[in-house]
Amino acid sequence: AAKGWGITMVVFGHITSLGNPIDLWFAAYKIPIFFIVSGYLLCMRQSFRKMSASQYIWKHFKSLMIPYFGYSAIVMLYNMLVCLMKGTGRAQMYSKFVYQAYTTLSLRGISALWFLPALFFAQVIFILVMKAKSNFVRIASGILSVVITVYTSDTLLPMLKAMLTERQYKIVSFPILAVSKGILGFWFIGAGYLCFMLFSKIKERNLRFVIGAVMFVATIFLSQRNLHVDINLLRIGDSHLMFYINGILGSMGTILVLEYLEKWWKMTYLEFAGKNSLIIMATHGTLGFKVLVIKGWKAIYTLSETAGPRYYLECTGILAELMLIECGVVSIINQYFPWLTGRFKKKTKRGSIHGKTEKPFEGRAGQSKGYEKAGPGNLDFFIYR
C-alpha cells in the first residue's frame, strides 16, 4: 500500500506542471519511499541471507533489468511507428532512435524507466555491503554514498555541463546519473533496513500510529523549505540535510499510518497500485497515455492555469482517468507478458498435471500402486495405472 501511495505521487507529479505546495510535498519522498519500503521488507524477511551475492544479483536482474530492456524496446518501437504515422523525416527518425538507444544502453532510461536501473544498482550495492559482514564497511558505505551523491549533484555535473557541449554532456552524464542514483537509492534502502530494526522495538500499536502521523504531517511543512528536488536529474534540493530527513519522515510516516489503518481500511486501490507499480511506472508516460489524457481533459473540460483547489481537483480527475487506462495495461501485461514484470513461467516437469507434480504412493492392501497429487489443485481424485 505504501508503494501504491508512492506511485500515485509519481503519476500526479507528472501531471502537474506548476510549482505548488503539493508538488513540493510529493517530491520530498515519492521516490525514496520505494527504496525505504524495499529496505524495510529486507530487514523484516531476511530472505537475502539465504542467497549468495550472485544469486541475489541475478534475481534482481531478472525482476528489474529484463523488464527495463523490454519496456525500452517497446517504447522505441512505439515511437518509430508514431514517427511513421506523422510522416517524420528519416534523418529525424534515425536521430531519435540513436538517442533513445544510447539512453537505454547507458542505463539513463527513457522517461520514468530510469528508476529500474537505479533500483537494481541500489540492490547490488546493498547485498555487497551486507555480505561484507563488517559494521565498519556498512557505516563507511553509508557515509560515502552521501558524499558521492552530494559531490555529483553539486560539483561534478555542473562542472561537466559548463565544460562540454550539450551533446557531449549527455553522452558523459547519462551513465554517471544512472550509477549515482543507484548509490542514492542504496542509502535509502539502508535507512529503511535500520528503520525496521528501530520501530520493531515499539510494540504499542497506537504509539506507532502517533509517531507515524507526526512524521507524515511534519513532511508536509518541512518539504516546503527545500526547493528544487528532482531525483531523476539528481537534484536533491537547496538543503541536502532536509532532503534526507524528508525522505525518511515521509516514507516511514506513510508506512506506520497505513499499518494502523489496515485494520479498518482494505486499501484496495493502494494495494493494486503498489503490486503493479513497476508496470505503471514504466508505461504511464512512455507510451503517451499521460499526454493523451491531459490533452483530452483540456479539450473536453478545462485545466486551470493557476495553482489552487480547482487545479488540484482537475489534476486528480486526470489522475483517475489515467489510472483507469493503466488498469487495462496492467491486466494485459500480467496475463500475456508476465516477463515484463520480472515473472517467468517455470517449466512443467514430466509426470505432472497442470504444472503440479505427481508423486507415487503405496495403496492399501489389495490396491495397485498409483499416483497422488503432491499439492492442492483442481483435481481431487487419484490417477491409477
Side-chain angles (χ1 to χ4, degrees):
K3 287 171 63 180
W5 174 239
I7 195 63
T8 300
M9 291 191 290
V10 168
V11 176
F12 189 89
H14 290 167
I15 292 169
T16 59
S17 59
L18 303 172
N20 57 76
I22 300 295
D23 278 342
L24 292 175
W25 174 36
F26 286 173
Y29 71 104
K30 66 183 180 183
I31 297 300
I33 194 172
F34 290 98
F35 296 119
I36 286 183
V37 166
S38 179
Y40 195 86
L41 294 177
L42 283 167
C43 189
M44 178 190 294
R45 296 170 177 169
Q46 295 292 316
S47 57
F48 69 94
R49 297 191 183 277
K50 301 176 183 178
M51 293 181 277
S52 66
S54 59
Q55 288 173 327
Y56 185 89
I57 293 170
W58 174 239
K59 172 189 174 184
H60 284 85
F61 183 87
K62 291 192 296 183
S63 63
L64 293 171
M65 296 309 295
I66 291 179
Y68 167 75
F69 286 111
Y71 283 117
S72 298
I74 291 171
V75 171
M76 291 168 66
L77 177 61
Y78 171 82
N79 287 330
M80 291 301 102
L81 291 174
V82 170
C83 286
L84 287 173
M85 289 188 290
K86 293 171 66 175
T88 305
R90 289 186 179 181
Q92 190 176 348
M93 284 180 59
Y94 176 76
S95 176
K96 186 171 186 177
F97 176 82
V98 170
Y99 174 77
Q100 292 190 334
Y102 180 72
T103 303
T104 299
L105 295 176
S106 66
L107 304 183
R108 171 66 177 87
I110 303 170
S111 188
L113 289 174
W114 68 266
F115 177 76
L116 303 185
L119 181 56
F120 174 71
F121 282 132
Q123 296 283 6
V124 170
I125 299 171
F126 172 82
I127 192 63
L128 294 178
V129 170
M130 294 302 291
K131 291 295 182 181
K133 297 181 180 179
S134 168
N135 288 331
F136 173 78
V137 170
R138 294 170 186 175
I139 294 171
S141 64
I143 296 172
L144 188 60
S145 63
V146 174
V147 172
I148 292 174
T149 301
V150 172
Y151 172 76
T152 305
S153 173
D154 290 359
T155 305
L156 181 59
L157 291 176
M159 180 180 67
L160 291 174
K161 195 165 188 178
M163 292 172 52
L164 305 174
T165 65
E166 183 179 355
R167 183 177 182 181
Q168 292 171 336
Y169 175 74
K170 289 180 179 179
I171 293 173
V172 174
S173 67
F174 280 8
I176 293 175
L177 279 168
V179 176
S180 299
K181 286 182 285 190
I183 293 172
L184 175 64
F186 155 72
W187 191 93
F188 280 113
I189 288 179
Y193 191 92
L194 293 175
C195 282
F196 178 83
M197 295 174 63
L198 175 64
F199 285 97
S200 63
K201 300 181 184 300
I202 304 174
K203 306 297 183 181
E204 174 57 40
R205 188 167 178 270
N206 292 334
L207 179 58
R208 290 169 66 90
F209 169 71
V210 170
I211 294 173
V214 170
M215 297 170 77
F216 187 84
V217 174
T219 311
I220 298 175
F221 296 98
L222 293 177
S223 61
Q224 309 304 312
R225 305 183 64 180
N226 191 30
L227 308 179
H228 310 116
V229 174
D230 187 347
I231 296 180
N232 183 23
L233 299 175
L234 203 65
R235 295 173 183 165
I236 56 179
D238 299 335
S239 171
H240 302 334
L241 178 61
M242 195 67 70
F243 167 76
Y244 286 101
I245 290 174
N246 283 332
I248 294 175
L249 291 181
S251 302
M252 285 308 305
T254 300
I255 291 171
L256 295 176
V257 168
L258 292 178
E259 174 191 73
Y260 182 83
L261 295 177
E262 67 179 349
K263 184 176 180 180
W264 301 281
W265 180 24
K266 291 184 178 180
M267 295 184 260
T268 305
Y269 162 75
L270 290 179
E271 288 187 3
F272 169 82
K275 289 177 181 178
N276 298 287
S277 57
L278 187 152
I279 300 174
I280 298 170
M281 182 81 79
T283 60
H284 76 277
T286 55
L287 298 180
F289 302 137
K290 177 193 70 176
V291 175
L292 182 68
V293 176
I294 292 175
K295 290 187 175 181
W297 185 278
K298 285 182 178 179
I300 298 174
Y301 305 109
T302 181
L303 186 59
S304 177
E305 295 182 355
T306 57
R310 174 184 168 184
Y311 180 71
Y312 297 136
L313 184 61
E314 290 169 340
C315 288
T316 302
I318 294 172
L319 172 69
E321 291 197 355
L322 183 54
M323 283 301 189
L324 284 174
I325 294 176
E326 285 296 327
C327 286
V329 175
V330 165
S331 179
I332 291 170
I333 289 177
N334 280 330
Q335 185 170 356
Y336 299 106
F337 308 100
W339 61 273
L340 284 173
T341 65
R343 300 196 310 270
F344 299 88
K345 293 182 180 179
K346 295 181 179 180
K347 293 181 180 180
T348 303
K349 297 181 180 179
R350 293 182 63 184
S352 66
I353 298 178
H354 303 303
K356 301 292 184 179
T357 306
E358 316 322 299
K359 62 181 181 181
F361 77 101
E362 295 290 339
R364 293 191 298 271
Q367 289 183 328
S368 60
K369 294 180 180 179
Y371 287 91
E372 178 188 13
K373 289 184 68 60
N378 294 327
L379 302 178
D380 57 353
F381 54 87
F382 301 117
I383 301 174
Y384 295 99
R385 289 197 187 99

